[in-house]
């Protein structure tokens, strides 16, 4: 059933991100885990473009924050899913454990930004996007121990920040920390807030942009969480089955 108030453009863009992510993970799994040379070659070609996917997805999540009836409720629901992801990977795939992946991040971002959304939306949209976009860029390299704007405006962060894993959700962790999927609050929270600012007037989009144009993309985007949770086991299962059948 078509929802008159739904902005299908966001579903379609989110669907495109999910499809590209699934393709990226397929070539990663086939190349790096099952050692198919053709998959390694394709993965290497795609790797420079990989950052575009999470940037687009998190920006879209920030925009969609303006459409949610309750960001806290949505955040708590996603947090439950995130905890389940950590438990499953910890007990059944310890070599691929996920401590603070993209679902963890989006859960916390929704909860944190719920009470901040009104003050954020008081900032003019263009100014908000610029301010929080710059903060995202300035803090993008904190995992490497510094922040600022390369090459002339760089601040080295104190080593004590990287002596414990208790602050890993913020982006600071010890050299022994590992998470197969990792999206800390810094810098990604600034991109999420930039999305909130960008989506301030999302309800005022022209009607033709709100309509459904590519039904499969809209479907994938609307069910992105389920697809995200299911795609990796399915990919591994397909590759294993094909490999086993060939043998």
């Amino acid at each position: 059933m078509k929802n008159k108030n739904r902005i299908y453009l966001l579903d379609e863009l989110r669907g495109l991100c999910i499809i590209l992510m699934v393709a990226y993970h397929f070539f990663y799994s086939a190349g790096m885990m099952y050692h198919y040379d053709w998959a390694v070659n394709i993965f290497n070609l795609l790797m420079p473009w990989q950052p575009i996917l999470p940037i687009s997805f998190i920006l879209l999540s920030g925009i969609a924050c303006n459409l949610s009836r309750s960001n806290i409720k949505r955040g708590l629901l996603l947090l439950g899913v995130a905890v389940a992801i950590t438990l499953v990977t910890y007990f059944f795939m310890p070599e691929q454990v996920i401590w603070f992946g993209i679902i963890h991040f989006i859960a916390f971002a929704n909860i944190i930004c719920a009470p901040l959304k009104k003050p954020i939306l008081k900032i003019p949209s263009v100014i908000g996007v610029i301010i929080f976009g710059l903060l995202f860029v300035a803090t993008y390299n904190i995992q490497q121990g510094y922040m600022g704007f390369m090459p002339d405006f760089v601040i080295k962060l104190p080593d004590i920040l990287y002596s414990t894993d208790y602050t890993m959700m913020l982006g600071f962790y010890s050299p022994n920390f590992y998470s197969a999927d990792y999206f800390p609050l810094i810098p990604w929270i600034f991109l999420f807030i930039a999305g909130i600012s960008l989506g301030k007037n999302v309800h005022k989009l022209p009607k033709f942009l709100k309509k459904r144009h590519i039904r499969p993309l809209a479907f994938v985007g609307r069910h992105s969480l389920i697809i995200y949770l299911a795609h990796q086991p399915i990919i591994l299962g397909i590759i294993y089955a094909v490999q086993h059948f060939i043998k």
Side-chain angles (χ1 to χ4, degrees), residues 92-104:
F92 298 101
M93 301 173 61
E95 71 285 354
Q96 294 292 320
V97 63
I98 296 175
W99 291 110
F100 204 84
I102 196 165
I103 301 298
H104 299 70

Side-chain angles (χ1 to χ4, degrees), residues 7-20 53 56-57 59-60 63 198 205 209 214 217-222 224:
I7 300 176
Y8 289 95
L9 173 64
L10 297 180
D11 286 336
E12 291 169 346
L13 291 174
R14 192 185 298 113
L16 178 61
C17 288
I18 288 292
I19 290 172
L20 293 175
L53 295 180
S56 301
F57 193 78
L59 199 61
L60 287 170
I63 294 172
L198 184 62
L205 283 173
L209 288 178
I214 307 176
L217 280 184
F219 176 85
V220 171
R222 190 167 186 176
S224 58

Side-chain angles (χ1 to χ4, degrees), residues 87-196:
L87 292 174
V88 169
T89 55
Y90 179 80
F91 287 107
F92 298 101
M93 301 173 61
E95 71 285 354
Q96 294 292 320
V97 63
I98 296 175
W99 291 110
F100 204 84
I102 196 165
I103 301 298
H104 299 70
F105 165 76
I106 294 177
F108 274 91
N110 272 274
I111 294 170
I112 291 170
C113 291
L116 300 176
K117 190 167 73 170
K118 286 186 178 180
I120 291 169
L121 293 178
K122 288 182 179 179
I123 303 172
S125 184
V126 174
I127 294 176
V129 171
I130 292 173
I131 290 174
F132 294 108
L134 287 174
L135 286 171
F136 170 70
V137 173
T139 58
Y140 188 78
N141 291 301
I142 66 163
Q143 294 175 48
Q144 280 69 52
Y146 65 91
M147 60 181 291
F149 301 95
M150 296 291 288
D152 299 320
F153 302 98
V154 175
I155 300 173
K156 186 181 183 305
L157 298 172
D159 293 338
I160 194 173
L161 291 174
Y162 304 91
S163 62
T164 178
D165 294 335
Y166 291 114
T167 53
M168 59 88 183
M169 64 182 293
L170 296 176
F172 307 106
Y173 51 83
S174 73
N176 296 322
F177 174 75
Y178 173 78
S179 180
D181 186 38
Y182 184 54
F183 287 86
L185 291 173
I186 303 174
W188 297 102
I189 191 69
F190 298 120
L191 185 65
F192 188 88
I193 297 174
I196 295 176

Side-chain angles (χ1 to χ4, degrees), residues 37-89:
D37 290 338
W38 57 270
V40 172
N41 293 333
I42 296 175
F43 175 76
N44 289 335
L45 289 174
L46 294 176
M47 192 162 55
W49 303 97
Q50 187 274 338
I52 295 176
L53 295 180
I55 287 173
S56 301
F57 193 78
I58 290 173
L59 199 61
L60 287 170
S61 297
I63 294 172
C65 190
N66 293 287
L67 304 174
S68 177
R69 294 179 180 177
S70 174
N71 288 300
I72 290 180
K73 183 178 179 180
R74 174 175 171 77
L76 291 174
L77 173 64
L78 289 173
L79 185 59
V81 174
V83 170
I85 290 173
T86 296
L87 292 174
V88 169
T89 55

